[in-house]
Structures are given as C-alpha cells and as structure tokens.
Amino acid sequence: MNPGKISPAERLAQLPKGLRNNVSDRSLPLGPQAKYTNPPMPSISQARGKRFRRSPRSFPLYLLASCLWLVPAKAQEPEADHNHDRQFAIRVGTLHPVSGPAIESGIILVEGHRISKIGKQGEVDIPEGAQIIDLPGTHAYPGFVDAMSGAFLQTRELKNSSVDGGTRIVDGLNPYDQISLGLVQAGVTTAHVSNRSEGIWRGLGTILRPRSTGFDPMAGKEEAGLGLRMTSGKAPRHILTRKKQLQAIGKSFEALEAYKEAFTKHEEASEEYDEKFAAYLKYHATKKDDEAEPEKKKSDEGEATDKQRRGRRGAGRRGGGRRGEGRRGRPEGKKPPAKQPKPEDEEKAAKPEEKPEAKGENKPADSKDEQAEKAPERPKFPKAPKKDPAKEALLAVQDGTLRLRIEAHRPDEIRAAISLARTQKIQHTVLEFATAAGAFPEELADAGIPVLLSAVDASSARIYGVEDRTTLAAQLTEAGVPIAFTSGGSNRRSQHLPMLAAIACGHGLSEEIALRAITLTPAEILGIADQVGSLAAGKFADIVISSGPLLQSDSRILRVFSGGDLQFEAN
Amino acid sequence: MRSPIPILLLTLSLPMQANAQGTTVVEADRLVLAPGTVLEGNAARLAYRQGKVTAVGNEIPAAVLESAIRVKYSGTLVPGFVNPHSQLGLSADLGERIDAFTPSLQAVDAFDPFSETLEQQVRGGVAGIGLAPTSGNTFGGLAAVVTWDGEEGQVLAEVSYLKLAIVAESLDQSRFPTSRMGAADLIRSNLLMANHPLAGADPDHQVLKDVLAGSRKMAIHADSHAEISVALDLCAEFSIAPILIGCKELHDSIQRLAGSEVSVILSALSMESKQSQLNLPAELAEAGVAFSFMAEDAESLRLSAALAVHAGLSRDQALAAITSTPASQCGVDDLLGSLRVGNSASFCVFSGDPLDLTSKLIAVHIDGKAIALRGAKDEAR
C-alpha cells in the first residue's frame, strides 16, 4: 500500500455506510472488492411499478432512532421514578396533624411522596438508611389548600366573554406567572384554580399543586368544578332584575333532559340501523349470489365501496358508500340512476333518492320463493347529535363527578343557589363568598352546602348590603356549615392564608377550626381529603415548617415540602 | 350603718364618678405603657383620675389603691392607637381644589363631630385621629387631631401639621400647577417668599414662616420614587425635616433618609400589597427612620402592624408605629401614644398581644371613659 495514496477500497471503507451504496466512483474497480456498484437509473415507466430507493437502506433505522427522543412529556414530576424509594424523617418541635391533637416532639416519616407515619419522637422507629432532618423548636403543619385560587391564570382569561361551561381552565394556565410562583413559598401546596369571569358559566376549574418552578396538575382532577356566577355584582341592582337572571340560570338545566334523550335515541337508532343494514345487505348479497351475474364495475370503485363500507362500520359517518351499494342492489341490465350521488357529505344523511328506484327495480326481479316478502328498505343513517361540552359539564355536575361552585352574595342570590341545588338534585354544591349568609346559616346547613370565604377582615365599606362581615365565619361554624378560608382569586392574598385564619380567630372562631379551614376542610370540600389536608399516613407529604405557632404574626415559614420534595427553604 | 341613700347615689353615679372625682385603677395581665415599657404581674396596674393618668405600676399609693374603683381585665392593655392621617369620610369637605396654595385652611373647620367613620374608628381602638385635608391641593392646609368621647367628637388639637401633596392627585388641569414641575415651583417660590422680610403677614405665609422656623411640622404626600425625590430635594433646600406620607416606592430612597429627622406615614398595608411594600417597615426600622401607619379604619391599622411583624419587623417597633410615633408626628404626644403620668387615659385592652390577629378587642377607654365596642350595646361600664 502506498502511503499517501488511499486505495479505493479503503476510501470506500471510510465513507459512511449509507453512502457506500450510492458511490459513483468510477475509479472503483469492478471486482470482488467492489461489491456495490451504482445501480442503473431506472426509467420512469419502470419506476412506476417498482420501488425506487434513493435513501440508504438503513434510513428507516435512523428515522426510528431519531424518533426515540420524542418521549411523551409526563404531567407528574419527572423525578418520580428515582424518588419513589427515598425515605426520610423530619423531627420537629410540635406537630399539628389537624386530623388529630398536636404532638409535642413530633416526627414525620416520609416514603417516596407520601407520609408513611407520624408520631412522637422515640415512639416511632426510623427505618435504616433514612435521612433525618432535625428542626427542633419548629412547628409542622400540613400544606395549605387554597380552594378558590387564581394561581397561574392569565389575566385575559378573567374578562374573556367566550368562557362557558365547557372551557377547561387547565388548558389556559401560565406556569411562569411570577406572583403565583410565590404561592408554594407561603405554604400553599394545593390550589383549586377557577375563573372570575363576568359571564354566568365560568368554566371548569382545576386542582393543581404549585411548585417553585411551576405547577403540576393533580391526577384525575384536571376538571374539578364548574363555576356559576349567581350574583349581579357589587353594583346594586333591582331585585326583580336579579330574580329574572336567577330564573334564567335554572333554565339551563331544563335543556339537559332533551340533550340526554337525543344521545340515547341516537344510540338506539344506531343499533337499529346496524341491524337493518345488515339485513339489507344480506338480502341483496343473497340475491346477487342467486342471480349469479357478474357485476361489471371498475376495480377502484369496487375497492372504494368496500373501503367505504368498512369505513362506515368503523367511523359510521361516510355516506358515500351508496354509490356502490346502490349499484349492487340493482339487478343487472337496468339503467344506472339518473344522477350521481354527491361524494362524502358527512353532514347529510343518506338520501333516499335511490331507494324508491331500488325498491321499484327490486320488485320485478323479486321472483324467488324464499324472498316472498318485500325487499328490506334501505335504512336511513342516524345523524349523530353534536356533543356540547357545556352540557356535558352540567351532566357531570348532576352525576356528582364535578362540583358546582356558585358565587352568591346577597340573600336572594344565596337562596336561589340553595333552591337550584335542591331542585336539580346536585350532589356537591359549594358556595363562594356567601357574604350575607350570616343571617340564615341554618338554611345552608340543612342543604349541606359548604362555604368558601375570603373577606373575613372588617371593612368600613358596606358591600352587598352587609355591614359586618367579620362574624360570618363564626356564625356559619356555629350552625354546622363547613367553611374554608381562601384567597378569593387574588394571588397576593394567597400568601396570607394563616393571617386570614388569625383574623377569623380574633372575631370569635376557635383556633382549631380556623387552622382546619385552611387545610383539611378545603380538602374535604374539594373531594381530595384522602390525598391532602392533614399530616396522616398515606397522604401526600405536604409539610409546612414554621418558626412558631402559625397564627402568630411573627412566625416565619422556614421550609415547605410538597409531595416530599423540598420546594422552599428560608435562608 | 347610716342611711343607704348616699351609698345608693354613689353606686348609681359610678360611671360619672369615674370621670369626675374618684380615681380608677385598671389592672390587666400585661400593661404596655409605651412600646418597650411593659408592666406585668402585680405591677400591671394604672391609676387615672379625671381622664388623666396619675400613677402607674408600683408607684400607685396604697391609699389610692384602697379607695379607688378597681377594674380588672384579663388581657393586654396598650395605649390607644393613633391614626395620623385620615379624612373620616369627609373628602368632599376637606379639599379646596380651586386654589392650590391654601396653607392657612384648617381641617378642623370641616370636622363633623357626629361622623360615623369617627365613631367606628374609635370603637375599634383608635384614640386619636389626624384629620387632614385631602391631597387635592399642593398646599392642603392644617390638619387637626380629633377623637370621640362616646357621644360626640372632640378636638384634641386644632392645628397640627401642614399638609402638602405632590402626588398626581394634586395636579389639576384646570388650574396651576398642572405638572410636578409646576408643583415644585409653587412650593419653592412660596417658601422663598415666606423667608423674605417684605413678605406680607398674610396667614398663608405666616404658616410657612412657622414651618421654616421649625415650630410647625410639614407633611408631604408623595408615592412614587420621583415624587419622593422631589419632595426631599425641596425640603433639603430649605432645611426642613418633613413627614412623608404614602411612600409606596420608598425602598429606593431609604438610604437618603437614614440619619435625618425625616419621619414617614406609610399607607396601610393589606394582604393585597406588593412584597416591596410589605418589606418597607422592616427596612425603615433597620435604617433608623421613624414611621407610622395611616388607615381608614382601626382594623386596617392593626392589620398593617401585623403584616409588618410578619415581614420581619419587631413587635415593639410595630406597636410604636401605631401609637407613639404617630402621636409625636401629630404633635399630641403629651396626650396620646403612651400612658405616662399626665397623659390622657386612653387605652384599649386585647385578649392577647394586639399584634397577633388572633387577639380580640375587649375594651376601649377614651379619657378614662369606657366606650362600647362595635356591635355591642351601649352600656355604662
């Protein structure tokens, strides 16, 4: 081998594998070394029938390899896998489980994302290899649940008039909203995000878990509640105007019956159609066999009819198969129908124009003894009713899958909400604000409707005709109505949930109920009390570590864990 | 025993007696005379007579203790709050927008002694309110300090500080000044004129003379950073140590205030306030600048102090911001803001520390007289 001169075989070997096939190096000797020569270019007519490969043979392999990068993004924490087995213990000064009495010198055992055990230090065995976090003198609380939050909402969503009952709020969230990113620092580990739009129906709220870098939707709770605005707002309006509005809302439910019926009818009609069509086909297939006439039709049309028929069985909406069927049904010798039916018009039902012809033509040919009865009619394809997401949401509310969240302030609005829940037999109704409910809390208690409060601080402004909103929490609790303190849609207020609880205590609520109202009670109201809301074995490890008792003004939040992951650490 | 009639009369006239002749000694679990001065245990008592504090703690003579009417509260007793700047719902009457230069107008002339806002503030624990002209004028006028005695409003000080404003609200397109530049010129030219020996002895410039001489305080409402800078520059030109009102964007100018006599009246903090505003009190305290809070109702005042504590301010300084500091800013620190001997016996009692929002307001006394709390029926102690 001459140094400096590369032999053709070597040069060939240096080329990437795919190119070797197409190398048109005329210097390549044609011999046993050069196994691959440039294949001759086929002519156009030859290419038509054959497959002409321009790309290297291994191209499909490369394509597949490049597609392996397209791993579907997971909604849950991507570190789920390698954090699943971690174990650690947190030792605190006082443990406030909320679902039980406070524990001095408490310890929390975390396994993976969940709490495995809580108890007193010394009474709980720490597993081998578990990391121990020592935080003496601190107070541990469950992560807060904000049941009426505006976290990560885009502001234009609030005024969007096209929001209706079917709008999914989870689809319009912005994970980079700066103020919302401070939520988890303030201890809020679960939030129900809903819209405060001006329309009557406010879209489908979602439950999510804020993080320091965004949020995770809560599994299975992407659509958690349907919002309904049953108030005319702060501006005073005549009671008769309000009454008309409230009645109009009740009417939304009346259309549901007809909607459901349309779907059941369609189902029945579809079944019927399937049966009848099978009979129709069978009749004409047997008829065709009997007549033993070869059908003259173009090959692609035949393929088309087969495909269309198959397509109809599967998708059920193509009406173009009539072309072939019509032909099949007609006995040989008769002239084809006068006009060609239009191809695939999905919205139109099957036109019966061919039917009379087919019927008429079938009659004289009907000479068999077995088929003494008239040929079955070509059944009409049933038109599928259109799914309305707003109505679907209302149906889910009636089933109990979704919660109905009603904002009502004045007494007549609140009473209209209660009567709506009763007459429509809605399983889970939640009242938002209920500003004037202090005068008749027992009505809410009888209806079993919980209340989400926000404005518990005194204000000299007489809003919604109520002078003093400070005693509302205490009055509702006394009557047995579950209450929760929420941010009311304000992200800044979300960061002061313990202060809301403290203010309510100052106006007569017990500290225990006030603390529960930012943790376990909102979890129960949202239907997620099995996952969050208290420090209990089996729930998510959402833990807030505070330097002192939470309701004291000078207590600072030191650490926040969400699902066992440390989301905030104070410096 | 002698005839029971004198004793009966004595008992029947107890409420009036408490003010008129006898001494009352009030006891609590904790007694805060001034932020930083706390009496506890047996020493937590205070004696007052005719609405003025006569003795505190262990200095109360035993004879007085025996003969006095004893009132016991279980909770923390603090001096009544002072709200240094409020319009008490009378904004229409307190703004004379036609002329931007009206320093001699007195807010006390627009005072409504039966105002509902006044009653509600006092029932919430505020012992003194600085009734100030609105910020619709560059030179608004002279503020007053008022209170409520249970029946009607009382004036504690007819003239207090001179209110100025350089916020956008004070600029009116229908008269001069229409811009901040014009407002600064108005302030400067009038202060120069006040110094001039040939300046007329008209009441407006007389007020400015007092300010320049240092016998009257001047308060300027400025919110944005630019407004605050202009205000401070103007005052530095004339060696005036102003009170800054509002100051939402003060964080850039804190270093400039450190070491000066400038004090600040911060607008009320709420749960909707920005984090920079919530951090202001702690930063001001660190720089050694005196500050207080203003609000439109008593609960907002307390909430502001609590939010400041939550953001890192010490409890003593937060209490000072709603008691002693605003009292000295309004010039009534010989009456309100602390419970020293000779001060007015205006205090409120909470079930716990007033800066913890879990504490409930139990009692309010103005000049020794018990005031019914909001929602409670009026009763003679």
Side-chain angles (χ1 to χ4, degrees), chain A residues 160-175:
Chain A
N160 196 344
S161 55
S162 68
V163 169
D164 71 349
T167 312
R168 278 167 45 106
I169 297 200
V170 68
D171 293 334
L173 295 177
N174 170 20

Side-chain angles (χ1 to χ4, degrees), chain A residues 454 456-460 462 467-468 487 490-497 499-508 511 551-557, chain B residues 116-117 120 270-275 278 296-297 299-300 302-303 305-313 315 354-361 374-375:
Chain A
S454 172
V456 295
D457 42 340
S459 165
S460 48
R462 223 178 284 182
E467 278 232 29
D468 192 8
S487 62
S490 156
N491 282 338
R492 293 199 198 273
R493 193 177 259 252
S494 242
Q495 303 181 20
H496 297 288
L497 285 183
M499 204 149 271
L500 282 177
I503 294 176
C505 283
H507 290 293
E511 278 201 27
L551 302 185
Q552 268 186 20
S553 300
D554 51 3
S555 300
R556 291 185 309 131
I557 291 182
Chain B
E116 210 178 276
T117 324
Q120 284 189 358
S270 75
M271 286 186 264
E272 315 283 342
S273 304
K274 290 188 199 171
Q275 196 59 40
L278 292 173
E296 285 305 313
D297 52 83
E299 285 81 7
S300 301
R302 210 175 137 216
L303 178 63
L307 282 169
V309 169
H310 188 67
L313 189 66
R315 283 183 190 260
L355 296 168
D356 280 330
L357 295 170
T358 46
S359 314
K360 208 195 271 214
L361 179 64
R374 198 204 297 226

